[in-house]
């Protein structure tokens, strides 16, 4: 069977067959299986062209196929195989090079924000802190000795040469107090200390609530950050298929390789990324697209720091 483009066949397997023909003194007619046989092969085996050649050979339309085959139970049931070369199973993972590129800097810098999702950060910064700050303002507003007086004394000089200077009370715009209270609330959140004095009973009780909220957020933040910083150490790089399975990685593999690993290790096929339908695949685990290079697609769908485990593998 021949599936080479423009009959440009070369490689160790082809050289071996040519040498065998020379030693055995027989000729080789390299040809494709019958085109009309492909629909039946697709129904029986699937869309893989390697199985197409096996199907034609099992029915006697070809004498033998040449290729880097993986011997599956279904193939072995209908055709005989003999080994010409040894193709090992390679486990390929990402390695942290430890460089100083911008991506590495950005990743390390953003680590401090990873303990909470961005929705949680938005909720804290734009709801809880402003709400707690404004509630403090409602307790302290206009109280004697508080940081939020209704009026402030202003020295005013009257018109004229001998104008007298008098102290008058001027109202403080409420928007000024709101902005200041929110600023103090944000400062208290990051500094873990409320910098303003509190004089009312309601304000002191509310201050206790603010301190409890900050303590809770800090505790959760510290625990999550510690887990993030130590997870790379705890999660050692896998060096075997069992290590990949135990670590819960998502795997990119050809369809036949995924079937072999599934049977050898008795695992769920769902650990393998499905062949994307929008790119010519059938949506089943393992790459088997008839119009693409399945082995190249394995590398195309590997993604470091994978966030979409339904589409990309680790």
């Amino acid at each position: 069977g021949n599936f080479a483009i423009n009959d440009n066949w070369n490689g160790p397997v082809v050289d071996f067959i040519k040498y065998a023909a020379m030693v055995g003194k027989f000729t080789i007619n390299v040809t494709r299986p019958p085109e009309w046989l492909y629909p039946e092969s697709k129904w029986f085996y699937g869309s893989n062209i390697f199985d197409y050649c096996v199907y034609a050979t099992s029915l006697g339309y070809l004498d033998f196929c040449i290729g880097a085959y993986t011997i599956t139970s279904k193939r072995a049931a209908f055709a005989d195989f003999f080994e010409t070369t040894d193709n090992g199973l390679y486990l390929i993972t990402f390695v942290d090079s430890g460089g100083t590129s911008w991506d590495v800097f950005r990743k390390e810098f953003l680590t401090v924000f990873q303990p909470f999702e961005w929705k949680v950060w938005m909720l804290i910064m734009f709801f809880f802190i402003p709400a707690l700050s404004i509630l403090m303002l409602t307790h302290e507003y206009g109280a004697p000795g508080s940081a939020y007086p209704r009026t402030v004394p202003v020295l005013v000089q009257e018109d004229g040469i001998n104008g007298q200077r008098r102290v008058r009370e001027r109202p403080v715009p409420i928007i000024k107090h709101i902005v200041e209270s929110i600023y103090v609330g944000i400062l208290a959140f990051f500094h873990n200390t409320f910098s303003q004095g509190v004089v009312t009973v309601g304000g002191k009780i509310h201050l206790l609530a603010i301190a409890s909220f900050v303590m809770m957020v800090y505790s959760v933040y510290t625990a999550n950050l510690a887990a993030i910083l130590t997870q790379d150490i705890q999660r050692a790089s896998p060096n075997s298929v069992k290590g990949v399975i135990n670590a819960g990685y998502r795997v990119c593999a050809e369809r036949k390789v995924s079937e072999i690993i599934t049977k050898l290790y008795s695992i769920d096929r769902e650990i393998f990324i499905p062949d994307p339908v929008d790119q010519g695949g059938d949506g089943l685990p393992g790459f088997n697209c008839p119009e693409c290079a399945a082995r190249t697609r394995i590398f195309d769908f590997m993604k470091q720091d994978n966030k979409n485990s339904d589409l990309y593998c680790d």
Side-chain angles (χ1 to χ4, degrees):
N2 175 24
F3 298 99
I5 299 176
N6 299 327
D7 294 329
N8 185 21
W9 249 34
N10 55 64
V13 177
V14 179
D15 294 340
F16 171 79
I17 297 299
K18 290 180 178 179
Y19 179 76
M22 181 181 65
V23 174
K25 297 180 181 180
F26 60 87
T27 59
I28 300 176
N29 179 23
V30 181
T31 184
R32 291 180 61 89
E35 295 290 345
W36 59 267
L37 196 61
Y38 179 71
E40 297 182 19
S41 172
K42 185 177 180 180
W43 175 84
F44 186 77
Y45 274 113
S47 58
N48 194 306
I49 57 176
F50 284 86
D51 292 325
Y52 175 28
C53 188
V54 173
Y55 186 75
T57 304
S58 65
L59 295 178
Y61 292 100
L62 299 173
D63 294 317
F64 57 86
C65 298
I66 304 173
Y69 277 91
T70 300
I71 304 177
T72 62
S73 57
K74 195 170 186 179
R75 289 174 177 174
F78 294 94
D80 296 326
F81 290 81
F82 64 93
E83 183 179 339
T84 58
T85 59
D86 183 15
N87 293 324
L89 179 64
Y90 294 94
L91 178 63
I92 303 173
T93 59
F94 288 102
V95 176
D96 187 4
S97 60
T100 57
S101 64
W102 168 250
D103 292 335
V104 175
F105 170 78
R106 181 176 58 85
K107 176 184 175 182
E108 298 298 332
F109 176 76
L110 294 178
T111 301
V112 297
F113 300 101
Q114 291 182 8
F116 296 135
E117 294 183 355
W118 68 269
K119 296 179 181 179
V120 178
W121 282 116
M122 297 287 287
L123 187 65
I124 291 174
M125 299 303 299
F126 295 100
F127 177 75
F128 283 112
I129 293 180
L132 292 173
S133 301
I134 293 175
L135 283 175
M136 178 61 76
L137 172 62
T138 60
H139 287 294
E140 293 291 299
Y141 184 61
S146 73
Y148 305 108
R150 294 179 182 273
T151 60
V152 293
V154 178
L155 184 61
V156 179
Q157 184 174 359
E158 296 180 352
D159 296 335
I161 299 176
N162 298 322
Q164 296 180 353
R165 293 182 179 181
R166 296 181 181 180
V167 177
R168 295 185 179 180
E169 295 291 330
R170 294 289 177 88
V172 180
I174 189 63
I175 188 65
K176 180 179 180 181
H177 286 325
I178 293 176
V179 172
E180 183 179 359
S181 65
I182 294 176
Y183 168 76
V184 173
I186 296 175
L187 185 63
F189 178 78
F190 287 106
H191 194 256
N192 201 16
T193 302
F194 199 78
S195 59
Q196 287 183 339
V198 179
V199 296
T200 63
V201 176
K204 292 178 180 180
I205 296 175
H206 187 67
L207 181 60
L208 182 62
I210 293 177
S212 301
F213 170 76
V214 173
M215 181 191 67
M216 180 184 64
V217 172
Y218 266 70
S219 299
V220 176
Y221 176 86
T222 303
N224 290 347
L225 183 60
I228 292 171
L229 294 177
T230 57
Q231 68 180 356
D232 292 337
I233 300 176
Q234 295 175 352
R235 189 179 183 181
S237 298
N239 54 10
S240 65
V241 176
K242 288 186 177 180
V244 171
I245 298 172
N246 295 333
Y249 283 109
R250 294 280 282 170
V251 183
C252 292
E254 288 184 276
R255 178 69 51 80
K256 58 179 180 293
V257 176
S258 68
E259 293 174 351
I260 291 174
I261 295 178
T262 300
K263 292 179 181 179
L264 285 177
Y265 294 92
S266 301
I267 59 175
D268 192 349
R269 292 180 61 190
E270 296 303 320
I271 72 167
F272 296 98
I273 299 297
D275 206 4
V277 178
D278 58 345
Q279 297 193 29
D282 54 10
L284 298 177
F287 298 140
N288 194 40
C289 48
E291 303 298 333
C292 73
R295 297 181 180 180
T296 304
R297 178 165 286 187
I298 293 173
F299 298 99
D300 294 338
F301 281 80
M302 288 183 64
K303 190 173 183 180
Q304 196 169 15
D305 299 326
N306 178 21
K307 297 296 189 300
N308 185 0
S309 58
D310 293 332
L311 182 61
Y312 298 101
C313 58
D314 303 303

